[in-house]
Amino acid sequence: MRYKKIKHNQPQSWGRYPKIQHSQIQTIYWQNELPDLSTYEQPILPYAYGRSYGDSCLNENGISLDLTHLQRFISFDQETGLLRCEAGVSLAEILDIMVPRGWFLPVTPGTKFVSVGGAIANDIHGKNHHRSGTFGCHVTCFELLRSNGQRLTCSPDQNSELFRATIGGLGLTGIILWAEFRLKPIINPYIDMDHIRFSSLDEFFEISAASDQDFEYTMSWVDLFIGGQNLCRGIFMRGNHNQSQALASKPIKKRLPLALPFNLPTFALNTITVKAFNELYYHAQRRKRVHKTVPYDPFFYPLDSIHNWYRMYGKRGFLQYQFVIPFDHAREAMSEILGRIRHAGEGSFLTVLKKFGDIPSPGMLSFPRPGLTLALDFAYSGQKTLQLLNELDKIIIQTGGALYPAKDARMSAQSFQTFYPQWKQFAQHIDPHFSSSFWRRVTSGSAESQPLPGFGVSPQILSPP
Ligand SMILES: Cc1cc2nc3c(=O)[nH]c(=O)nc-3n(C[C@H](O)[C@H](O)[C@H](O)COP(=O)(O)OP(=O)(O)OC[C@H]3O[C@@H](n4cnc5c(N)ncnc54)[C@H](O)[C@@H]3O)c2cc1C
């Protein structure tokens, strides 16, 4: 089964904010029919399934290269678990083919509708960060097409700096044509899962500490609206791959995803509805701990069961805000952050809390680092939302933490450069013909952000080279 991205005339990001126009959308179908990238007169950016939330996958007035048709499997080594495939192959396709053969992704985000190229370009993390690090930790090599026509094999030993720059490199170093990475063996497609209710941030830390050793996957849904000393409450979710041979042949019922037929009106999401949702969700689990064995899909990808859930946030779209803060500042900073959000009257249905471990990411610009990471969604209500998030940035800066570029659509150049002081070193590896809306914003005022002559000018439709 082929997974198509949601069709739209213009490439969009998952948050539907910002809404921008590209001058041209060029589709690449074959590795032996690659365009001469040096002939493009406007900056280029690869685009895959648009599951990035903000503008890191967008290129206003520039050229968006659709790479989702590079979707061929190249080789698999049953002994080592090494899979080589084109960069437009989605994680969903890999799971469909490899799970029945007893293999699983080394790291997966909260949606399976992302491409291998996108997983590398954002050096994505999953529920097993504390045990397995980021996706990039499992990549052995890839081929990168640069605008000068060079096709470079990059690995930790070959073109190693470009390898490190491309992992987490936001699509700016060239086009990843194919990649090779290591899958991990599983016995069956089921997960042994616990859901544990916790009533404070301190309790979250306790359960987390008790789970890190024995559970491969951990994350929590949290309710931030309880106030007081407890700071938050939630459901801690942890799991391991089930080890029973008997379940290997038990078929999994596939459920078709639901779809939201229209954008919900903006007033549908407010602190009252969020509080009501949180109350229901928290109390839906009556017992302190629930144990179940479930297929991998609902455990890893509950949000994929609603095809276009971004519509819940209305026409204006939404902003996701994901930060990481070092553990030693976590309690204090969380108290401040949650207080600001409550005071602003902004609500987030989907709030996810997790501890990152200390496995270093290979990417020069990778986001994960040891600490507590929280991801929140805010319906976009103009200046009010932007002001709140600017205030939160200041707190993150004070803690020495960082924001995740894959989720961002508004952080200032100053904030980005504080979060990622290595950005200048990274910028030396950017392909001179590549750029993005995100990169221009977060490096505005710097020499590194200057477009090539003729770049960033008024939009025009170019004919394919
Ligand atoms: C519901 C949901 C849950 C999510 N959960 C997580 C999570 O748990 N952890 C996490 O880390 N992220 C998470 N994300 C974010 C998502 O995993 C990343 O944004 C991912 O990179 C999106 O991949 P994509 O294929 O859609 O790429 P796009 O969003 O289209 O592009 C992402 C980046 O990859 C670049 N790119 C794409 N293809 C190539 C290529 N062939 N060569 C070079 N560059 C390329 C683009 O230029 C862009 O910079 C989530 C997103 C959603 C919608």
Side-chain angles (χ1 to χ4, degrees):
M1 191 198 320
R2 287 297 185 202
Y3 293 90
K4 288 282 159 238
K5 63 184 173 170
I6 298 166
K7 292 275 177 209
H8 13 253
N9 298 331
Q10 281 283 335
Q12 297 192 51
S13 62
W14 193 249
R16 289 342 191 224
Y17 174 86
K19 298 190 194 320
I20 58 121
Q21 295 290 310
H22 294 81
S23 66
Q24 188 192 351
I25 300 145
Q26 164 92 46
T27 305
I28 295 188
Y29 292 96
W30 307 99
Q31 284 197 52
N32 63 357
E33 239 183 48
L34 297 168
D36 178 353
L37 301 176
S38 67
T39 60
Y40 286 117
E41 289 175 6
Q42 289 168 305
I44 306 164
L45 186 72
Y47 180 80
Y49 292 91
R51 257 50 178 196
S52 300
Y53 283 77
D55 57 357
S56 66
C57 62
L58 303 177
N59 191 14
E60 186 165 19
N61 297 340
I63 296 160
S64 180
L65 288 180
D66 178 351
L67 293 162
T68 54
H69 293 266
L70 289 183
Q71 51 178 203
R72 293 161 199 91
F73 285 80
I74 300 170
S75 63
F76 180 63
D77 183 334
Q78 189 74 33
E79 295 297 309
T80 58
L82 279 179
L83 173 71
R84 189 177 283 205
C85 63
E86 289 184 339
V89 170
S90 72
L91 301 189
E93 288 165 314
I94 295 174
L95 290 166
D96 272 357
I97 292 178
M98 300 312 297
V99 168
R101 292 166 178 245
W103 295 91
F104 202 77
L105 296 163
V107 167
T108 176
T111 171
K112 59 184 176 181
F113 301 119
V114 309
S115 65
V116 167
I120 296 174
N122 278 323
D123 197 13
I124 55 158
H125 56 272
K127 294 178 173 61
N128 59 351
H129 184 269
H130 61 293
R131 294 279 281 267
S132 302
T134 58
F135 192 85
C137 295
H138 307 272
V139 174
T140 49
C141 60
F142 50 78
E143 189 179 21
L144 193 69
L145 174 69
R146 302 275 287 182
S147 63
N148 60 8
Q150 278 187 310
R151 290 175 67 153
L152 302 170
T153 303
C154 303
S155 74
D157 308 315
Q158 213 179 338
N159 298 307
S160 57
E161 284 295 279
L162 211 43
F163 179 76
R164 290 199 328 107
T166 301
I167 296 178
L170 304 168
L172 297 168
T173 60
I175 300 177
I176 303 165
L177 295 173
W178 56 260
E180 182 183 89
F181 52 99
R182 209 177 292 279
L183 300 182
K184 66 177 177 199
I186 51 169
I187 306 224
N188 66 52
Y190 290 85
I191 301 287
D192 291 328
M193 173 195 89
D194 283 342
H195 276 191
I196 307 171
R197 260 169 49 167
F198 59 89
S199 55
S200 67
L201 185 63
D202 290 337
E203 196 185 350
F204 162 83
F205 279 122
E206 279 161 30
I207 303 172
S208 209
S211 306
D212 282 354
Q213 192 66 27
D214 297 331
F215 289 86
E216 186 161 0
Y217 302 108
T218 62
M219 59 83 84
S220 298
W221 165 82
V222 282
D223 174 5
L224 307 176
F225 280 92
I226 59 165
Q229 282 297 306
N230 286 0
L231 294 183
C232 64
R233 64 180 176 180
I235 314 267
F236 192 96
M237 301 164 189
R238 61 189 191 186
N240 282 322
H241 288 279
N242 178 282
Q243 299 295 318
S244 154
Q245 201 64 52
L247 284 183
S249 52
K250 186 179 169 195
I252 291 181
K253 278 192 208 136
K254 286 244 170 196
R255 293 211 182 123
L256 286 176
L258 303 171
L260 280 183
F262 49 80
N263 291 305
L264 290 191
T266 316
F267 64 78
L269 187 94
N270 53 49
T271 39
I272 298 169
T273 48
V274 171
K275 277 183 188 169
F277 169 84
N278 286 351
E279 193 68 19
L280 280 174
Y281 192 78
Y282 185 73
H283 289 291
Q285 176 171 322
R286 285 164 188 270
R287 277 177 290 148
K288 173 85 181 162
R289 174 171 169 246
V290 170
H291 176 81
K292 275 187 195 163
T293 298
V294 295
Y296 71 85
D297 242 322
F299 179 76
F300 289 105
Y301 313 114
L303 289 172
D304 285 347
S305 61
I306 305 177
H307 188 48
N308 45 9
W309 59 261
Y310 55 81
R311 287 187 159 174
M312 190 171 81
Y313 289 95
K315 261 197 192 140
R316 293 183 82 184
F318 71 103
L319 292 154
Q320 176 149 117
Y321 190 80
Q322 182 171 0
F323 62 81
V324 55
I325 45 179
F327 292 121
D328 44 352
H329 294 289
R331 205 177 190 288
E332 204 184 325
M334 281 287 280
S335 163
E336 179 112 18
I337 289 166
L338 303 187
R340 295 278 171 104
I341 296 171
R342 275 196 297 270
H343 185 252
E346 299 270 348
S348 171
F349 280 116
L350 302 168
T351 307
V352 173
L353 183 65
K354 178 163 173 58
K355 265 167 68 181
F356 278 149
D358 54 11
I359 299 174
S361 305
M364 242 175 232
L365 217 58
S366 295
F367 160 68
R369 57 203 76 184
L372 191 67
T373 181
L374 185 73
L376 309 119
D377 290 341
F378 295 102
Y380 177 64
S381 359
Q383 215 41 45
K384 185 175 162 236
T385 319
L386 297 177
Q387 202 176 327
L388 168 68
L389 301 187
N390 286 341
E391 280 176 29
L392 301 188
D393 286 2
K394 289 184 197 148
I395 305 172
I396 312 299
I397 288 174
Q398 279 167 10
T399 67
L403 292 190
Y404 189 9
K407 309 273 179 94
D408 179 69
R410 34 63 50 195
M411 78 170 112
S412 68
Q414 196 188 357
S415 297
F416 172 75
Q417 292 172 23
T418 311
F419 297 141
Y420 295 89
Q422 70 280 30
W423 73 277
K424 282 198 170 170
Q425 182 203 354
F426 164 77
Q428 293 166 13
H429 301 281
I430 295 180
D431 187 295
H433 279 260
F434 281 51
S435 183
S436 68
S437 294
F438 173 85
W439 191 252
R440 290 189 287 276
R441 173 165 55 80
V442 300
T443 57
S444 56
S446 307
E448 286 79 356
S449 74
Q450 294 311 307
L452 289 178
F455 276 24
V457 290
S458 60
Q460 51 175 290
I461 302 297
L462 298 178
S463 54

